[in-house]
Amino acid sequence: MRVAVIGAGVIGLSSALCIHEQFHSLEPSLELEVYADHFTPHTTSDGAAGLWQPYLSDHGNLQETLWNKETFDYLLGHLHSPAAKEMGLFLISGYNLFTEPVPDPSWKNIVLGFRNLTPKELELFPGYSYGWFNTALMLEGRRYLPWLTNRLTQRGVKFFHKKVESFQELFSQGVDVVLNCSGIRSGDLQPDPELQPGRGQIIKVLAPWVKHFIITHNLKSGIYNSPYVIPGSEFTVLGGIYQHGNWNEENSAKDHKSIWDGCCQLLPALQKAKIVGEWSGLRPARPSVRLERESIRLGNLQAEVIHNYGHGGFGITIHWGCAMAAARLLGSILQEKRQLATPPGSRL
Amino acid sequence: MASPKVAVVGAGVIGLSTALCITETCPSCSVTVLSDQFSPNTTSDVAAGMLIPHTYPDTPIHRQKQWFKETFTYLFAISNSAEASEAGIHLVSGWQIFKSTPKEELPFWSDIVLGFRPMSETELQKFPQHRFGQAFTTLKCDCPPYLLWLEKRLKATGTQMYTRKVADLWELHSEYDIVVNCTGIGAQQLVGDKQLFPVRGQVLKVYAPWVKQFIRDGDGLTYIYPGIHKVTLGGTREKGIWSLSPDAYTTRDIFDRCCSLEPSLQAAQDIKVKVGLRPSRQCVRLQTEVLSQGGVKLPVVHNYGHGAGGFSVHRGTAKEAAHLVEVCISALQGSSSRAKL
C-alpha cells in the first residue's frame, strides 16, 4: 500500500507522521513517501513566525475550531517532553489590540488565561482602546519541520525532491493513495478558484527584550494587515501585510516601510533593533480548508486523493487536527480496500 | 552654600538611582559617586532585577507599597519608550506558584503589577506539585544595562564617578558637605550596623532564548527569570553566609529544581554561576544621621538594607533619600546663614 504525500510544509510532514504513527503497525505493507519541490527552510511554513492563533472569527466553521483545539491540546501535551525545544515549541503570552470592543474569539477557552486588557495595560498601546491578553504557544517552522523530517526519516519514510506535475504521474508509478498537501500551489495539480494567495511580508530583527507577542487588528483592513510583533527563539518577526490575490514573492520596499513604521510606533524601542532578514510568502488562503477525499477514475482503476490544503494564515495553528482528520480519511480508504480484498463467502 | 557637595557611596542600583534622584531634586548640587565596585561587579549585577517586592517585616506596608508603586511607574514609562532596550527594562509575564495556598492570596502589590489574577486549573496542570498560583505581568531591570544606563544619565548631569574604597565615612568630611550611604552589604563594616546581615544567593545565568515566561515558586527559592540575553535560574537564601564562591552542589541543585518546573531548560547552554549577598535587614535603613567630631558636623543620609527587594523599591527609596538630602541642605544653609550673622 503506497501512500504519497505531495508537499513538505507543516501540513505535508505532519500528515505523514500522523499517518505513519497510526497505521504502520496495522498495515504492514504501508509505504509512505513525501514528494516536494521545496523542503525546509524554503517552505511557506518556514517563513511563518509560528504563533498558535486562529483568526478572530471562525465564520461558523466549527470543524476548523475543533481542529485548532486538537492542535493546541496536542502541543500543550508535548510542552514538557524532552523534544519540546528541538520541536521549536514553547509558551508565550501576549496582546491582541483593537480600536473598538469586539466579541470574544472562538478560541478564548482553548488558550490559557484569556482575559480582557486592563486600562493600565492599554496605556502601553496608544491608539488602541480594547484588547485581549492570553498565553499561547509558539511552534517555530524552522525547528518543527526538521524535527518532523527526522521523525519521518527514522520511521523509514522516503523523501523525493521533485515537482509533481499531476496526480496521474504518481498513480501511474503504482502509488495507491495521494495526500495533496501542496498548499498554495495546489492549483497546479487541480484548478481551484477558491484558493488564492494571501501575500505576507515580514522583517526579522534582533530584539531579545521583547517577550510578548503583540497583534494589532484593523477591522477595516482585515486580518494580518495591521502591525504585529512576534518574538521567536532566534529573532523577532515584524509583520502586518496581507494582500489577497498577490502572487509576488519578492520583498516590497513599500511593504517594508509599512511594517517598520507600524511596528516602531507600537514599540518605540524597536527603532534600535538590528534587521537580520526579510521574507515574503504566500498564505494558501481559502474560504475553508479543503480536507476531503476525492476518487479519481484512471482507466478501470479507482485512485484516491485526500486533499489537505488551504490553511491560509493558520496552518501551524490547525495542522495536527487536520493531520488526524486526513489519517481518518486514509483509515476509511484502507478499510474499503480490505473489504474489497476479502473474497465474498469467506465472511460467512 | 552655593553648590552643596554631595558624595554618594556605593554604585549598585541604590547608589546610582539615589545619585540620579539627587541631581533631579537638587540641580545645584555637585554629586560624586564613590565606590570600590562598579557594574558589572556589584551585588545588583547578580540579581535578576525582577519587580516582585520583598516584604520588610518592620516597614509599614503602605510605605513599601508607595516605594514599589513609584519604582514601577518610573520603569513602566522607560519600558514604553525608545530607550527601553538600552536601559535594559522590559515587561515579562509569568506565574508565581505555591505548593500550598498562601495565607495572603492577594499580596499588597497585586494592583500595581499588570493583569494580576489567580492561575486557572489548566495552567496549574503544568505544575503537578503546586496547588495554587498567580499570573501577572511585571517589569525586569537587566543588569549591567540598567546600571550602565544610570551611569550614562549621571555623567550627562556632570556627576563624577570614582573607584575608591571608603574605609570610614568621616574621611569624606573635608571634601563633601553631605554623604549618602548606599553601600549595601558593605554598611556592615563601614558603619558597624549589626542589624544588617547577608543572605547569600547563588544563581545561574543560562542561554535559553525560547523561555519567554517567568516562573517563581512562592517560597522564593526556585525561580526562572528570562532576561534580555540570559535567563536567571535561582536560587538560594542562605542567611548569614558571606562566601562569594560558587558552590558546585548548589549549582546542580538549582538547575534540577528549575528543570522540574521547566523541563526544556535541560537544553540550556553557556551556564554561568554567580553569587551575591543580599544586604538584608528587618527594614530598609532610610534616615539621616549627623556625624560629629570636634565641632565639625557631617550629615549622612543612609539608604541601605534592601535585602531581596532592592530593584523593586529602588526608585521609591532613592526619591526619599534625595528628599532627606534636601532637608540636610536646608539645615546646612540655615546654619551657615546663622554663622554669617
Side-chain angles (χ1 to χ4, degrees):
Chain A
M1 161 64 74
R2 278 179 66 190
V3 177
V5 177
I6 306 177
V10 67
I11 301 299
L13 297 184
S14 60
S15 299
L17 185 62
C18 192
I19 283 167
H20 200 274
E21 281 176 352
Q22 288 195 22
F23 296 111
H24 84 282
S25 52
L26 296 174
E27 186 63 53
S29 73
L30 181 70
E31 274 176 47
L32 200 45
E33 299 153 13
V34 175
Y35 293 80
D37 56 358
H38 290 105
F39 287 90
T40 182
H42 305 294
T43 72
T44 308
S45 309
D46 289 289
L51 177 67
W52 186 101
Q53 185 167 299
Y55 288 177
L56 296 183
S57 164
D58 62 9
H59 298 295
N61 197 325
L62 191 58
Q63 181 71 270
E64 289 182 9
T65 300
L66 287 172
W67 287 335
N68 289 332
K69 178 173 164 46
E70 278 182 309
T71 307
F72 192 88
D73 291 344
Y74 168 76
L75 293 173
L76 200 63
H78 273 74
L79 206 52
H80 272 216
S81 82
K85 189 242 169 182
E86 210 194 317
M87 281 166 84
L89 177 65
F90 53 90
L91 280 171
I92 187 168
S93 297
Y95 306 89
N96 277 278
L97 304 172
F98 305 88
T99 53
E100 59 193 277
V102 293
D104 289 344
S106 62
W107 41 270
K108 67 180 270 204
N109 292 322
I110 302 175
V111 294
L112 304 176
F114 180 94
R115 62 172 174 82
N116 285 347
L117 292 180
T118 63
K120 206 155 128 202
E121 287 173 307
L122 285 165
E123 275 175 43
L124 288 164
F125 310 111
Y128 295 96
S129 56
Y130 188 85
W132 309 322
F133 181 93
N134 64 267
T135 302
L137 294 164
M138 282 283 282
L139 184 63
E140 298 184 304
R142 288 155 48 98
R143 297 206 191 286
Y144 189 47
L145 263 50
W147 182 83
L148 286 169
T149 307
N150 286 341
R151 301 284 77 70
L152 289 167
T153 307
Q154 274 172 6
R155 287 165 168 271
V157 174
K158 305 249 182 313
F159 288 83
F160 298 94
H161 193 154
K162 69 181 285 196
K163 184 170 167 66
V164 172
E165 304 288 355
S166 68
F167 298 133
Q168 272 81 331
E169 181 191 322
L170 293 174
F171 291 129
S172 66
Q173 287 171 23
V175 166
D176 299 293
V177 181
V178 165
L179 234 85
N180 176 20
C181 305
S182 48
I184 189 59
R185 253 93 44 68
S186 291
D188 293 350
L189 292 166
Q190 188 185 89
D192 181 354
E194 291 195 293
L195 179 69
Q196 291 289 321
R199 181 183 174 281
Q201 184 167 321
I202 53 145
I203 305 174
K204 302 180 198 177
V205 301
L206 293 180
W209 64 89
V210 179
K211 305 291 182 190
H212 297 92
F213 62 82
I214 305 168
I215 319 240
T216 67
H217 299 269
N218 182 326
L219 302 177
K220 284 196 268 309
S221 27
I223 191 80
Y224 300 133
N225 236 347
S226 189
Y228 62 79
V229 177
I230 302 177
S233 63
E234 283 180 287
F235 49 78
T236 298
V237 172
L238 309 185
I241 300 290
Y242 190 109
Q243 293 154 349
H244 198 80
N246 187 349
W247 285 93
N248 194 345
E249 287 179 87
E250 299 289 309
N251 293 323
S252 139
K254 180 161 176 258
D255 290 340
H256 173 101
K257 183 167 176 6
S258 167
I259 297 166
W260 185 257
D261 291 348
C263 291
C264 286
Q265 190 175 52
L266 204 48
L267 286 183
L270 283 174
Q271 290 161 52
K272 308 251 171 86
K274 182 174 170 209
I275 296 177
V276 293
E278 193 137 8
W279 179 85
S280 296
L282 308 177
R283 299 174 184 87
R286 208 173 177 275
S288 63
V289 173
R290 187 177 183 200
L291 183 37
E292 62 187 5
R293 262 174 78 173
E294 187 184 2
S295 300
I296 295 182
R297 277 236 91 86
L298 286 175
N300 58 351
L301 283 174
Q302 189 162 293
E304 297 291 333
V305 177
I306 298 172
H307 296 286
N308 186 5
Y309 69 85
H311 305 80
F314 50 89
I316 284 165
T317 299
I318 203 172
H319 81 277
W320 193 253
C322 289
M324 303 267 275
R328 284 193 289 276
L329 289 175
L330 181 65
S332 43
I333 294 172
L334 290 174
Q335 174 83 329
E336 284 163 24
K337 285 199 191 288
R338 282 194 177 181
Q339 279 170 343
L340 284 172
T342 316
S346 65
R347 286 186 227 132
L348 282 171
Chain B
M1 183 163 293
S3 178
K5 293 199 287 291
V6 181
V8 176
V9 187
V13 69
I14 301 301
L16 296 182
S17 58
T18 302
L20 192 60
C21 278
I22 294 168
T23 65
E24 289 165 11
T25 55
C26 178
S28 64
C29 279
S30 154
V31 180
T32 307
V33 174
L34 305 169
S35 181
D36 62 351
Q37 301 290 355
F38 283 82
S39 180
N41 298 315
T42 71
T43 306
S44 304
D45 289 289
V46 180
M50 287 290 286
L51 257 68
I52 299 177
H54 165 80
T55 303
Y56 302 102
D58 290 355
T59 305
I61 290 291
H62 74 266
R63 199 168 170 219
Q64 297 187 48
K65 188 166 176 174
Q66 181 58 26
W67 288 340
F68 182 58
K69 190 167 180 195
E70 287 220 47
T71 307
F72 196 92
T73 306
Y74 173 72
L75 295 174
F76 186 75
I78 300 171
S79 78
N80 209 12
S81 76
E83 294 193 70
S85 58
E86 194 197 334
I89 311 290
H90 58 99
L91 283 171
V92 59
S93 296
W95 298 311
Q96 176 165 241
I97 53 180
F98 300 83
K99 289 195 168 115
S100 50
T101 311
K103 279 193 296 276
E104 205 187 43
E105 285 188 24
L106 270 188
F108 73 81
W109 42 268
S110 61
D111 59 345
I112 298 170
V113 296
L114 304 176
F116 186 98
R117 59 168 175 84
M119 279 166 77
S120 65
E121 280 305 312
T122 322
E123 289 172 308
L124 277 165
Q125 272 167 20
K126 231 180 90 68
F127 308 106
Q129 295 185 329
H130 295 76
R131 299 173 47 186
F132 179 80
Q134 301 152 338
F136 56 93
T137 302
T138 188
L139 291 159
K140 187 178 188 296
C141 299
D142 270 40
C143 282
Y146 185 54
L147 296 188
L148 295 177
W149 182 80
L150 287 172
E151 284 179 28
K152 187 175 166 186
R153 300 273 309 265
L154 282 167
K155 283 184 188 138
T157 68
T159 300
Q160 304 284 327
M161 288 182 271
Y162 299 108
T163 304
R164 171 173 167 178
K165 172 115 183 120
V166 174
D168 183 333
L169 290 180
W170 188 255
E171 77 187 53
L172 303 171
H173 81 273
S174 54
E175 305 161 69
Y176 300 97
D177 302 307
I178 299 167
V179 169
V180 186
N181 174 18
C182 303
T183 52
I185 194 62
Q188 222 239 24
Q189 197 182 48
L190 186 60
V191 299
D193 184 344
K194 294 197 173 51
Q195 292 176 53
L196 183 68
F197 56 93
V199 174
R200 181 183 182 279
Q202 184 163 319
V203 294
L204 312 182
K205 307 262 184 181
V206 310
Y207 184 68
W210 61 89
V211 176
K212 307 286 185 194
Q213 305 253 112
F214 74 81
I215 306 172
R216 176 183 203 268
D217 192 308
D219 66 11
L221 284 174
T222 307
Y223 48 83
I224 298 162
Y225 294 142
I228 294 176
H229 297 291
K230 301 287 274 285
V231 182
T232 301
L233 306 184
T236 65
R237 286 176 185 247
E238 300 157 273
K239 196 170 160 183
I241 308 294
W242 285 90
S243 168
L244 283 169
S245 305
D247 175 74
Y249 177 80
T250 303
T251 296
R252 182 80 240 166
D253 181 56
I254 292 170
F255 192 72
D256 289 345
R257 282 188 275 124
C258 288
C259 286
S260 76
L261 294 184
E262 181 52 69
S264 70
L265 283 170
Q266 291 285 354
Q269 308 252 291
D270 193 31
I271 298 173
K272 298 270 192 297
V273 191
K274 297 221 183 277
V275 179
L277 307 176
R278 299 174 185 84
S280 308
R281 216 169 173 275
Q282 293 292 95
C283 62
V284 176
R285 189 176 183 199
L286 190 38
Q287 63 184 185
T288 308
E289 181 190 3
V290 181
L291 302 181
S292 177
Q293 271 189 39
V296 181
K297 290 195 197 314
L298 177 65
V300 174
V301 172
H302 295 286
N303 187 10
Y304 68 84
H306 300 72
F311 278 91
S312 298
V313 297
H314 76 275
R315 178 78 181 176
T317 56
K319 285 189 79 167
E320 218 179 284
H323 174 70
L324 291 176
V325 168
E326 251 190 324
V327 172
C328 289
I329 291 170
S330 303
L332 285 172
Q333 285 170 336
S335 62
S336 75
S337 62
R338 275 198 294 281
K340 286 189 205 123
L341 282 172

